Amino acid sequence: MEVYKITGGNRLKGTIKVSGAKNSAVALIPASILADSPVTIEGLPAISDVLTLQALVEDIGGKVSFDQQNMVIDPTEIISMPLPNGNVKKLRASYYFMGAMLGRFKNAAIGLPGGCHLGPRPIDQHIKGFEALGAKVTNEHGAIYLRAEELRGAKIYLDVVSVGATINIMLAAVLAKGRTTIENAAKEPEIIDVATLLSNMGAKIKGAGTNVIRIDGVEKLHGTKHTIIPDRIEAGTFMIMAAAAGDGVMIDNVIPFHVEALTAKLREMGVDVVEEDERIFIPKAQDLQAVDVKTLVYPGFPTDLQQPFSVLLTQALGSSVITDTVYSARFKHIDELRRMNAVARVEGSTAILSGPTALEAATVRATDLRAGAALVLAGLLAEGETEVQEIQHIERGYSSLIDKLRGIGAQIQKVKIPAEAPVQE
Ligand code: EPU
């Protein structure tokens, strides 16, 4: 198995570049199959989730070329085929094929999605939206079947603000007859990015980025060229790493407005954050102060940064409380951090951390993507050599993480080690 070995204690210094947004990429690729001619997406991150989606498009007859940055998707020969298991189970965003296939073919059969285990992740709001548009939705043997005579625009109020449901309903509605209104829609920048691609393909969408989105269905969509937005979660991860272990780090290719909630929290802790047009500089931070954090939907503090941020809090003076209101059980990394000497405990949907603590190297497990990023940061800070296992979770979402971190002075490498014998009960 492959693991990351990290020798802690090296200060980070220099410039680190952010890739295209994972959570946009995983929606833009399925969105492309709604076109009747090739779509080019520029600046995609080279991550395993993107490769899995490429394979899924190919599974249904699409032709895809990807040079690790730009992808051309030719959807002209795509056919309506069930996508039961296999690749579908590797990631959560495979559920975007539900909306896209339903929109294009008026029917779809997709296995239930996989993705990070963050506690319950229902898709009832996606289904409520599809049904409102006229689809009959059934769950048969672990796959969701969607069938519609025709899709008709509808008014849909989301009971829960959901990124996935907002995008999925947009994907189904762009080719429906008449007007769809999504109320209580999510406002994440990734939603604007998907709406921009769809609009450039000929869709009529207004209000993306606000909590009311109006879509007037069109007859067909055509190919286009689109450049993806930078990954605000990757940028935020680097900002946190820079605050915890940096001697002056410039984060390049970031939209400062997209990371404002993090910037505000870092400043509250005593970190200087210098914003430029598309770059953020974090000078060496000293005397970090404890803060409380509550995760919220955008533009609130992102749940995806809560895990790396908790490592920074182990370096701050005093007691900090993190409350995750989006995924109340997203705290598996806390047990791993405790192996590294962190003073932390979980109570319900909160984690309480005290610091500053000198972290110690240990062998730890990346239980999910952002937990993995958190443990990499812990390894960068800890005395000794940390081994991070189950790095496949990290490589689902961070493009060239090792090379990027080595570029700013981290001592981190990927090594193959013999697989551990299973534990005998
Ligand atoms: N929810 C429902 N019903 C639904 C849909 C969602 O109850 O039908 C709940 C969820 O259980 C959760 C909340 O609503 O408590 C928000 O979930 P949302 O649908 O917004 O999440 P998602 O679309 O499945 C995306 C990102 C996640 C990120 C969340 C929240 C993608 C592929 N994933 O997930 O990213 O944590 O939004 O911002 O876009 C990550 O990148 O590490 C990651 C997990």
Side-chain angles (χ1 to χ4, degrees):
M1 70 175 177
E2 289 185 315
V3 300
Y4 291 166
K5 297 252 189 198
I6 306 163
T7 305
N10 294 292
R11 303 294 299 179
L12 308 175
K13 195 174 171 62
T15 299
I16 190 162
K17 189 161 184 193
V18 174
S19 298
K22 163 192 168 269
N23 288 344
S24 264
V26 297
L28 295 173
I29 296 169
S32 306
I33 72 163
L34 287 161
D36 64 3
S37 51
V39 173
T40 303
I41 308 171
E42 294 179 330
L44 284 173
I47 51 175
S48 63
D49 270 11
V50 163
L51 300 177
T52 306
L53 288 166
Q54 170 175 359
L56 281 167
V57 173
E58 288 167 345
D59 282 349
I60 54 172
K63 298 208 168 43
V64 186
S65 67
F66 181 44
D67 65 4
Q68 304 294 301
Q69 207 174 7
N70 302 324
M71 184 177 276
V72 181
I73 300 166
D74 181 352
T76 41
E77 286 173 26
I78 281 178
I79 48 168
S80 173
M81 258 183 39
L83 288 170
N85 280 310
N87 284 324
V88 164
K89 287 218 162 138
K90 288 192 187 156
L91 79 170
R92 181 127 191 105
S94 50
Y95 58 32
Y96 289 134
F97 281 93
M98 292 181 191
M101 300 272 274
L102 183 64
R104 179 153 173 184
F105 299 110
K106 312 293 173 263
N107 71 69
I110 319 279
L112 284 167
C116 289
H117 296 289
L118 312 175
R121 299 181 79 183
I123 55 166
D124 56 300
Q125 299 303 306
H126 305 230
I127 290 169
K128 169 177 157 170
F130 299 143
E131 285 178 337
L133 295 173
K136 188 167 180 305
V137 185
T138 52
N139 183 344
E140 297 168 30
H141 313 294
I144 302 284
Y145 285 75
L146 305 112
R147 304 174 182 97
E149 290 293 316
E150 64 168 11
L151 294 175
R152 283 203 166 273
K155 200 175 237 199
I156 300 156
Y157 180 89
L158 296 180
D159 302 327
V160 182
V161 181
S162 158
V163 177
T166 303
I167 293 179
N168 235 340
I169 295 168
M170 278 194 330
L171 295 178
V174 282
L175 291 176
K177 288 208 167 87
R179 172 168 287 195
T180 298
T181 306
I182 309 173
E183 293 177 342
N184 203 25
K187 296 186 280 199
E188 271 69 0
E190 293 74 22
I191 291 166
I192 304 178
D193 205 24
V194 176
T196 305
L197 171 75
L198 291 169
S199 299
N200 291 339
M201 285 161 62
K204 292 200 171 128
I205 304 175
K206 284 204 176 119
T210 75
N211 53 10
V212 181
I213 301 179
R214 289 192 182 83
I215 302 152
D216 285 313
V218 294
E219 285 285 312
K220 59 184 194 134
L221 297 171
H222 52 75
T224 189
K225 193 185 262 193
H226 177 81
T227 303
I228 194 169
I229 56 169
D231 194 314
R232 65 193 166 93
I233 304 300
E234 187 192 15
T237 305
F238 294 154
M239 287 165 71
I240 293 166
M241 287 177 171
D247 267 351
V249 176
M250 177 68 87
I251 293 120
D252 189 19
N253 192 34
V254 51
I255 299 174
F257 179 62
H258 287 176
V259 289
E260 268 188 339
L262 172 64
T263 299
K265 270 296 151 194
L266 288 174
R267 286 182 175 149
E268 206 179 311
M269 292 181 77
V271 179
D272 199 6
V273 181
V274 185
E275 298 172 326
E276 297 180 9
D277 280 352
E278 290 179 2
R279 305 195 304 178
I280 288 179
F281 182 68
I282 311 271
K284 180 182 167 81
Q286 275 161 323
D287 303 324
L288 297 169
Q289 299 301 311
V291 289
D292 293 343
V293 178
K294 191 179 268 188
T295 72
L296 290 167
V297 294
Y298 188 84
F301 192 96
T303 170
D304 295 341
L305 288 176
Q306 169 268 106
Q307 293 159 295
F309 198 75
S310 65
V311 181
L312 178 64
L313 292 178
T314 68
Q315 305 305 300
L317 177 67
S319 197
S320 302
V321 179
I322 300 179
T323 307
D324 198 323
T325 71
V326 182
Y327 293 114
S328 58
R330 199 174 195 174
F331 289 117
K332 287 195 193 132
H333 62 295
I334 295 288
D335 278 344
E336 301 301 301
L337 289 177
R338 282 156 63 119
R339 290 177 204 276
M340 301 180 72
N341 212 28
V343 182
R345 65 180 197 280
V346 177
E347 282 178 16
S349 60
T350 64
I352 299 135
L353 300 108
S354 300
T357 312
L359 297 178
E360 287 172 9
T363 296
V364 287
R365 207 163 57 87
T367 50
D368 57 80
L369 168 59
R370 309 299 172 189
L375 295 173
V376 167
L377 171 55
L380 293 174
L381 292 168
E383 181 76 28
E385 190 184 72
T386 293
E387 178 178 308
V388 182
Q389 300 180 342
E390 300 199 22
I391 57 169
Q392 73 280 4
H393 292 295
I394 303 174
E395 297 187 350
R396 278 191 43 216
Y398 288 93
S399 176
S400 314
L401 184 62
I402 298 264
D403 289 344
K404 288 185 184 183
L405 290 177
R406 286 168 74 101
I408 54 169
Q411 222 178 312
I412 175 168
Q413 52 179 332
K414 180 151 101 173
V415 291
K416 230 184 195 129
I417 61 164
E420 276 180 5
V423 179
Q424 302 291 326
E425 294 291 331

